[in-house]
Amino acid sequence: MLKTLLSVLSAVQFQSIEALSGQLGDSQLLIKAQLDDAEALGIALEFVENKGYRLASGLDLLEPEVVSGLLSSAAAEMVLTLDVRDVVDSTNIIALNRASPGSSGYICTAEHQTAGKGRRGKVWASPYASNLYLSAVWEFADGAGALEGLSLAVGVAVADALSHAGVNGVKLKWPNDILVDDRKLAGILLEVTGEPAGLCRVVVGIGLNVNMLAAAGIDQPWIDVKEISPEAANRSQLLALILNELMPLLSSFSQRGFLSYRDRWLALDAYAGRDVAILMGKESVNGKALGVDNSGALLVQTDAGIQKFSGGEVSLRSRS
Ligand code: BTN
């Protein structure tokens, strides 16, 4: 596994392929192929003839025991499995495949996603060991209707976790972007399987920019934790802080609903009172953003009165 090699590579001392092969018990050919893979993934390596390889800078690899050690007792009880992977297509895809009876609390996280999914069919940039990519499964007995506002409530949970980490200035943009200075810090993608009116399972996918080493193909202004608060840019700690907020939210959401998160969402609303355009495919509506109603629908003052917009393919743009 690439991660095994990267965890023994030093950012200080050079190591030869022979030495790495001896240490890991893998063939020299496999070690060389993994070093090539690492470089192809954007991990900067230094090579010196007769000395070997070293990392150009330290890597913040996910450490499952650090995450587990920082979980609150409530969150620890609710985490069924903490599945820390190396390279995956998408943690949401892995979690969707795991979603089955009794899978509440299955968490998948990875160092790198080759096909990270964003909202509205976009790709979520997922460079190796740079950011957080996590997906959590939770079962709901009362159908997809009971999930109304859940993605907004997850935004509040992530904002709270970031605030506990000392990351200040976090705001929410409807429906579920997390911003600092109007630049995207994190995104949330919920996917639901099962009976629309009965037992269903939701996969809550969260992508958080922590230390974007190689930013390629991001088509909007973005920011990472490292830029806001360098001392908070530790992926394992941030993962634990997010799970500490997310797990109690998931386990109580069917009783509490969005209403109990609405005031906090409104207090964090990045677009409150701003001139906005609502885009729905080729159509767009202009108006002033007025926050959200009790179900999490966006309220917009337009020339035709106050209009409500709900999730799906709707997106929001600032006009100011
Ligand atoms: C958005 O477009 O804002 C939503 C981005 C969600 C990205 C996360 S990363 C972990 C999980 N796995 C995915 O493939 N997507 C989500």
Side-chain angles (χ1 to χ4, degrees), residues 90-92 113 115-119 124 133-135 177 184 187-189 205-207:
S90 147
T91 56
N92 263 30
Q113 299 185 117
K117 296 197 268 182
R119 276 188 76 229
W124 186 257
Y133 322 111
L134 74 125
S135 300
D177 285 355
K184 189 149 169 174
I188 294 161
L189 177 68
I206 300 171

Side-chain angles (χ1 to χ4, degrees), residues 33 68 94 134 244 272 286 300 316:
S68 303
I94 307 253
L134 74 125
N244 285 346
N286 290 344
V300 180
L316 175 64

Side-chain angles (χ1 to χ4, degrees), residues 130-145:
S130 297
N131 304 322
L132 271 184
Y133 322 111
L134 74 125
S135 300
V137 178
W138 204 265
E139 269 186 298
F140 288 85
D142 305 322

